[in-house]
Amino acid sequence: MCIRDSSGEELTEQAVLAEMAVLEQDLARYGWNTIIIGDGWQKAPGVWEPRETAFPRGFAPLVQDIHSRGMKASLHINPFIVPRESPLTASHPDWLVPPAEWAVPALPEDARILDVTHPEADAYVRQLFEKISNTWGFDAVEGLNVPYGVLAAKHYSDPSRTRLDVLRIAMSAVDAGMGPGRTIACAGPQPVLRVRGDVMDLGQTAAPLWTGDARHWGSIDALDAAALRYFFSPYLYALASPAMYFDTPGLPARWPGLDRHTFTKEQTTACLTAMALKGGVLKLGNTFAELNDEQKNILTKLLPAVHWRARPLDLFDNHPPRLWSARLNTKAGEWFYAVVFNWSLEEEPPVTLYLG
C-alpha cells in the first residue's frame, strides 16, 4: 500500500492528482495502490468538510478519480478530539468532557473529548463516518488515536460505563458508519482494538531521523517498535509502521527546525526492507512526485507483501533486531530466507547466523 500523508498548504487536490499520476505510471502495478489524504484537509479545526480552496470539487469526484485508476482512497481523521474552535464546542457543550491531566500536554490548548456515552454524540460519530464512506466514497480511514482521543477523557456523562465500554461504543460507531468492506486503521490498545480495527498504527509518527530525539521517533525507534509486535500480525491485524524516508530536496521544508543528518541510499533501503519483511502497511514519508528513478526502482521491489511474515531471531538481544527469517511455500518449492542487518553507523559488528 502507499501512504500519502500531507498537511497544511501542501495538501490540495492538485497535489493528490500529481501523486496519483506517479503511482499509476510507475508504482501501482507493484502494489503501491492506495492514496491517503492526510491531516490538514478539513475546513477548520473540528469542521469535517474539505477546504474549498484546496478541494474545489469536494471529495466525491476526487475519490471517483482515484477509483477509476484502480486505486483505493483513505482519509485521516480523529473526531474524538474537539478543538476549542470547533462549532461543537458552542453548539453541543453537553457532548464534550474535559481531558484527563495526563493527556493535556499532548492535546491542543483547551481541547475537549467527545463523550460517546452521550447518545447524540454516538449518533454524530456514526453519521460522520457514514458520510466518509457512502457519500464521499472512501475505502478506509486512519488517524484514530484512541488513547489520545476517546479514552483521554477525565470522566464521562454515563458513570456506569467502564473505559472498555467507551472504547467499544466509539469503535462500534466508526465501524457501523463505515459499513462492510471498509478498512479502519487506529492506534491504541492493540489486543482490544483488533476486534474493530483492521490495521494498527504504532501510535507515533517517525521523523526523518536515524535515531529519535525528545519529540520524535527516528527510523531505528520505529523499526524496534514494529519488531516487538511481529507476533500479532497478520494473525490479529495488519501492522502499519511509521513512515520511512528517502533523502529528497523537499524533505527539509516539511520538517523545519529538525536537526537531522542526510539519509544514505543504503540506510533507506535497509529500513524499507525491514518494514516490508514484517508485512502489513508500508509507509513512505516523501511525496512520490519528487522521487527519482533509482528511488522508485527500490519501491518496486518491496511489494506485494509475502503472506508469512519474517520473525526476528534476536528480538531481545539487539534493538532493532539484526536477524530475520521466514519460511515460504511457493510453486517453486519450500524455501527459507534469512536477512542480516547492520544498523550501526560507525562499525561493522560480527553477526553469527546459525542455519539450523
Side-chain angles (χ1 to χ4, degrees), residues 55 304 319:
F55 299 94
H319 299 282

Side-chain angles (χ1 to χ4, degrees), residues 146-147 151 167 187-194 200:
V146 174
L151 294 184
L167 184 151
Q190 295 164 351
V192 178
L193 277 176
R194 58 95 183 173
M200 295 294 156

Side-chain angles (χ1 to χ4, degrees), residues 53-98:
T53 54
F55 299 94
R57 298 189 298 162
F59 274 154
L62 178 59
V63 172
Q64 289 175 6
D65 288 346
I66 295 172
H67 288 163
S68 70
R69 289 163 171 79
M71 302 177 199
K72 295 182 179 180
S74 185
L75 187 68
H76 186 286
I77 183 172
N78 188 15
F80 302 114
I81 299 174
V82 182
R84 175 177 53 187
E85 306 93 323
S86 171
L88 284 181
T89 305
S91 60
H92 296 287
D94 53 323
W95 295 5
L96 308 179
V97 289

Side-chain angles (χ1 to χ4, degrees), residues 35-38 41 59 73-77 132 136 138 140-143:
I35 297 283
I36 289 188
I37 297 178
W41 58 267
F59 274 154
S74 185
L75 187 68
H76 186 286
I77 183 172
I132 292 170
W136 292 343
F138 282 96
V141 289
E142 74 148 25

Side-chain angles (χ1 to χ4, degrees), residues 322-324 338-342 351 353:
R322 292 188 292 183
L323 299 173
W324 293 75
V339 185
V340 182
F341 291 101
N342 172 24
V351 177
L353 176 63

